[in-house]
Amino acid sequence: MMTVEPSKLADVYFNFYPNEILPLWTNPCNNKRHLEIWSGQKTCKRLPHLIVVGPQKTGTTALYTFLNLHPQIKSNFQSNKTFEEVQFFTDKNYVNGIDWYMNHFPFPPSESTILFEKSANYFTEAKAPLQIHTLLPDTKIICILINPSQRAYSWYQHAQSHKDEAALKHSFYDVITATNSSSDVHNLRNKCLLPGLYTSHLNKWKTHFNNSQLLIVDGENLVEDPISEMEKVQNFLKLQDKLDYSKLLKYNTKKGFFCPVTNGGKLKCLGSGKGRKYSPMDDKSKDFLKHFYKNSIEDLNDFLTNHGYSKPGWLIKEINDMN
Ligand code: A3P
């Protein structure tokens, strides 16, 4: 019998099966044989039951903060690099393996604790739905959607305040209409526009998660009426003790948003990077985006109808404006 050294054999194998270069982590606790060789020191309890997947700029930090107010819900630990986000299901961190992921979570203090994380870039990560489902087949997923035009504008404002050269040099209109595909400005255009093509991304999530696992939060209602939106979230999570968020969140006129009430009765609003003050979008950009997202808005409307989801108020308004 002839063979070669393992690394050469691996090269041959991965030449045949390039899609398998990246491992696909399964849950050791869902497989009897894996569980038998899993160290006695380890537990699968440090894995999330809920993941808020984004997309970015839709109110994901607000939802993360509001969820953490519930004593039955516990988030991951903060990271030095990515702050409240773990960002495990991305090409960069997925290779670190599930021990790395589990180390980001506390040991749940009770059986009824719901561990969760939010990483707003998962929404557009092509492999994330499959990777999450393979490791955590029973986990619940929350996506937050706002009007995609507003999301694009919010991303542009975010890029400007992070001193992104393209955002500083070019107007919003120039960015969203950029055509030179190799330029930095086109890169920024894609970050503004592409996550807002919601249905193309949602279809991938829906392949792996059913209605009882996938909730779509109305991000605009989360701003206007977080009390009612958090009621929907709590129902979705089937929480034993539902909280009355009207006691936990109060509107702050200076911030222009609802903020958590601290034990001392003061308001602790989200940081200055969330709920920025900027001028309203210009009419030319509004018109361009209305046209750009027209089909996508119709697709989203069909998607929600076909899958039996209720529709966000901003979507109903967009559809009515089209007719
Ligand atoms: P703007 O800063 O453009 O207004 P994310 O956390 O996903 O990055 O989303 C940021 C957006 O969350 C903010 O965008 C803001 O509109 C929205 N948001 C929703 N509820 C908020 C709250 N209670 N406080 C601050 N921002 C909130």
Side-chain angles (χ1 to χ4, degrees):
M1 189 175 129
M2 259 181 60
T3 188
V4 289
E5 59 191 79
S7 64
K8 287 198 179 134
L9 209 53
D11 287 343
V12 174
Y13 183 87
F14 289 125
N15 263 336
F16 273 114
Y17 303 106
N19 290 341
E20 293 182 18
I21 288 179
L22 201 63
L24 192 58
W25 305 120
T26 54
N27 189 325
C29 297
N30 291 347
N31 183 311
K32 195 168 160 280
R33 278 193 307 134
H34 289 177
L35 200 53
E36 276 164 11
I37 54 169
W38 187 239
S39 153
Q41 313 281 312
K42 295 190 182 187
T43 166
C44 295
K45 290 186 175 166
R46 290 176 77 191
L47 284 170
H49 311 94
L50 165 70
I51 306 184
V52 179
V53 299
Q56 288 154 321
K57 308 319 293 173
T58 56
T60 57
T61 314
L63 181 61
Y64 175 90
T65 309
F66 300 166
L67 282 169
N68 259 324
L69 298 175
H70 198 296
Q72 204 187 323
I73 304 179
K74 296 260 171 290
S75 66
N76 54 285
F77 303 124
Q78 297 269 319
S79 142
N80 290 340
K81 288 187 191 142
T82 49
F83 309 102
E84 80 267 16
E85 301 202 345
V86 185
Q87 300 185 356
F88 175 60
F89 298 99
T90 59
D91 284 352
K92 200 168 120 244
N93 289 330
Y94 189 69
V95 287
N96 292 334
I98 55 175
D99 280 328
W100 183 93
Y101 190 42
M102 286 197 287
N103 283 337
H104 284 80
F105 292 94
F107 284 95
S110 87
E111 283 297 316
S112 64
T113 302
I114 295 180
L115 292 183
F116 87 103
E117 66 131 328
K118 84 95 180 163
S119 296
N121 55 355
Y122 289 164
F123 185 72
T124 54
E125 285 281 331
K127 295 186 207 118
L130 172 66
Q131 290 172 340
I132 294 178
H133 187 261
T134 307
L135 180 63
L136 306 163
D138 300 325
T139 196
K140 294 195 170 184
I141 301 289
I142 294 182
C143 305
I144 313 180
L145 304 183
I146 62 172
N147 192 313
S149 303
Q150 193 49 43
R151 201 216 72 85
Y153 194 44
S154 174
W155 182 267
Y156 172 79
Q157 300 298 337
H158 171 87
Q160 270 205 336
S161 59
H162 281 77
K163 308 274 180 273
D164 177 301
E165 287 278 310
L168 291 174
K169 277 195 203 143
H170 300 274
S171 69
F172 180 58
Y173 183 75
D174 288 347
V175 169
I176 55 180
T177 55
T179 48
N180 176 359
S181 62
S182 59
S183 64
D184 282 356
V185 67
H186 198 266
N187 216 359
L188 177 60
R189 169 210 178 263
N190 289 349
K191 289 200 167 135
C192 287
L193 297 184
L194 303 189
L197 298 171
Y198 293 141
T199 319
S200 63
H201 303 292
L202 281 171
N203 277 326
K204 292 190 191 125
W205 291 97
K206 204 72 196 75
T207 310
H208 300 284
F209 297 96
N210 60 37
N211 276 26
S212 67
Q213 287 179 286
L214 178 67
L215 178 72
I216 294 169
V217 163
D218 176 348
E220 299 199 5
N221 198 43
L222 190 68
V223 173
E224 297 298 320
D225 183 6
I227 320 297
S228 74
E229 211 54 36
M230 290 311 292
E231 175 78 14
K232 285 184 214 156
V233 172
Q234 293 188 89
N235 288 339
F236 169 68
L237 295 177
K238 297 194 167 49
L239 289 173
Q240 285 167 357
D241 296 313
K242 279 207 290 176
L243 287 190
D244 177 2
Y245 271 84
S246 67
K247 298 206 169 66
L248 302 172
L249 301 173
K250 298 280 177 222
Y251 187 77
N252 180 303
T253 23
K254 195 163 166 231
K255 177 84 180 167
F257 286 90
F258 278 82
C259 305
V261 183
T262 62
N263 284 342
K266 289 199 172 145
L267 294 188
K268 189 172 186 300
C269 296
L270 268 62
S272 57
K274 304 293 168 184
R276 294 188 169 98
K277 306 257 184 244
Y278 42 81
S279 51
M281 197 189 307
D282 63 282
D283 287 344
K284 237 171 32 160
S285 299
K286 269 190 206 163
D287 288 346
F288 176 85
L289 291 173
K290 222 173 196 25
H291 185 70
F292 181 85
Y293 282 123
K294 184 175 180 295
N295 291 344
S296 166
I297 291 276
E298 285 169 340
D299 287 350
L300 179 63
N301 193 48
D302 292 345
F303 175 95
L304 297 178
T305 308
N306 295 341
H307 292 292
Y309 283 104
S310 61
K311 294 174 188 171
W314 60 264
L315 179 70
I316 295 171
K317 184 173 175 307
E318 284 290 321
I319 294 287
N320 286 343
D321 286 354
M322 281 178 198
N323 299 322

